[in-house]
Amino acid sequence: MGLFGSGREDESGGVVDGGGEPAAQVGDSGPDPRVGGAVVARSVNSGLTPERTSAWSVPSGFVGGANLPGTRGTTPADSWCGGTRPGHDQDPRPSMWVTVADGIGDRRGSAGAAAAAVEAVNRFLAATSVTVDSLFAAFHTASVAVDAYVAGLIDAGMDSRDVGGTTLTLAALTGTQVVCLWAGDSPAWVINTDGVHRLTPPQRPGPLRDWLGAGDVLPTLRTVDRSELGGILVGSDGLEPAMDDPAWVASLLARAPHTLATHLVARSRRRGTSDDITAAVAVDVASALQERDSQDADTKPIPVIL
C-alpha cells in the first residue's frame, strides 16, 4: 500500500487503513484567529490518547504539527505551536515560526510547564515582527512563564525536587535567515529537496544540562541561510527514530505541513518508541503551494498508515 492508502472512517471519526490501525484525528486545540496580523496554531497535551494523533495547520497552510502521546501510561507532556506573519515590500515571503516544548520525564507539572512555554511564545510572536531579537525575547518570555508556573506549584505545597520543567526549541524563517534557539534536547532540522540537515546537536547520553523551569536559561542560537529552503522541522526527542531516512522525509515536502508532521510521528511510533512524539513543521511558500487543500486541515481527519 502506498503512503496514503485508502482509508475508512472508524466509529470515532478517525481514519483507519486496511489493517485496522487507528490514524490521525483532529484534536481539541486548533488554529487561533488572527492576532496582531499573525495566524497562529497550537496543540497542547490535554485530551489525547496513544491511539490518536492530533494534527493541525494554520489557515495559510504553511505551518502545521502533530502530537502522538506515549504508550507508557504517563501524562502526555509535549506541546507545540507555530504561526505565520505576512511578508512586506522588501521581502514578500511570510515569516513563520514553530516551537516544541517537551516536559521533563514524568515529574509533576512537566506537562503544564510545556504548555505554558509554547503559549507564551505564541502570544509574544503573534504581536510583533519575527526577528532574531524578537525570537530571543519570545524565548525569554517563555522561560519566565515556566518559572512562574513552577513557583506556583511549589507555593501550593509540591516538593521542589518533584516538580518538572520543560525543554524548548524555537525555529523560525525570518527574512533571509533560518533562526533556531533551544534549551534541552528537543531537535530541529532544515528539510530541503536534497535531504535533511540537523540544526541542533545530536542527543548526548545522560541527564539534561539545561531546561526551562530551573532559573535563568540562555538558549543556544544557530542561524543558516534561508535560500532554496524547503522547510523547518522541530520535534520532541521521541521523533528521532522517524529521521533515519532523510530522502523519505524530504519526499514529504510536497505535502501540507500537518500531513508531513502526521507521517513523521506515525513513523516514529512504528519504529518502536514509547515516548510522546511531537512534530511541528513550517514550509516555505514554494513548497506550501503544492498542496492547496491544507487550508481546511483543521476540519478533517488525515489518512495515514500506522
Side-chain angles (χ1 to χ4, degrees):
M1 187 179 292
L3 189 63
F4 284 87
S6 60
R8 58 183 175 81
E9 290 193 2
D10 67 9
E11 293 180 354
S12 60
V15 174
V16 295
D17 67 20
E21 294 292 337
Q25 184 181 25
V26 170
D28 61 354
S29 296
D32 285 332
R34 288 184 177 271
V35 180
V39 182
V40 298
R42 77 277 184 266
S43 185
V44 297
N45 41 46
S46 62
L48 303 180
T49 68
E51 295 78 27
R52 290 293 169 199
T53 301
S54 171
W56 293 103
S57 184
V58 301
S60 67
F62 301 144
V63 173
N67 302 76
L68 186 60
T71 60
R72 297 179 293 195
T74 56
T75 301
D78 293 356
S79 291
W80 73 272
C81 73
T84 68
R85 295 190 66 85
H88 47 77
D89 291 341
Q90 288 74 28
D91 189 347
R93 294 176 298 181
S95 297
M96 294 172 262
W97 71 89
V98 285
T99 188
V100 167
D102 184 0
I104 296 173
D106 56 358
R107 291 188 179 185
R108 300 174 69 184
S110 60
V118 300
E119 294 287 1
V121 168
N122 244 17
R123 284 195 302 270
F124 191 95
L125 292 179
T128 187
S129 58
V130 183
T131 65
V132 173
D133 288 343
S134 69
L135 292 167
F136 264 108
F139 202 103
H140 174 71
T141 299
S143 181
V144 170
V146 173
D147 285 345
Y149 174 81
V150 169
L153 295 180
I154 295 171
D155 289 345
M158 287 190 185
D159 189 327
S160 61
R161 295 169 295 182
D162 297 330
V163 176
T166 184
T167 70
L168 184 64
T169 297
L170 168 60
L173 309 178
T174 171
T176 60
Q177 287 185 311
V178 178
V179 181
C180 186
L181 297 165
W182 70 89
D185 62 355
S186 295
W189 297 265
V190 168
I191 309 174
N192 290 321
T193 54
D194 63 345
V196 178
H197 311 279
R198 195 171 183 119
L199 289 168
T200 55
Q203 288 181 317
R204 292 178 290 188
L208 286 178
R209 302 187 182 187
D210 54 359
W211 64 89
L212 275 63
D216 292 336
V217 175
L218 182 64
T220 303
L221 167 69
R222 184 177 180 189
T223 62
V224 298
D225 186 33
R226 183 177 175 175
S227 63
E228 299 182 6
L229 176 73
I232 50 176
L233 165 66
V234 180
S236 61
D237 59 345
L239 189 67
E240 295 273 8
M243 307 301 293
D244 60 347
D245 187 347
W248 177 84
V249 176
S251 73
L252 296 177
L253 274 174
R255 303 294 182 180
H258 71 281
T259 308
L260 194 162
T262 301
H263 279 289
L264 287 173
V265 299
R267 181 182 179 92
S268 195
R269 178 56 45 81
R270 288 198 306 268
R271 273 149 177 72
T273 183
S274 60
D275 200 358
D276 300 334
I277 312 166
T278 294
V281 183
V283 295
D284 223 347
V285 177
S287 296
L289 292 180
Q290 294 183 42
E291 186 166 42
R292 300 302 183 110
D293 69 348
S294 59
Q295 293 190 16
D296 63 349
D298 57 325
T299 61
K300 64 182 181 182
I302 308 158
V304 61
I305 299 173
L306 290 172

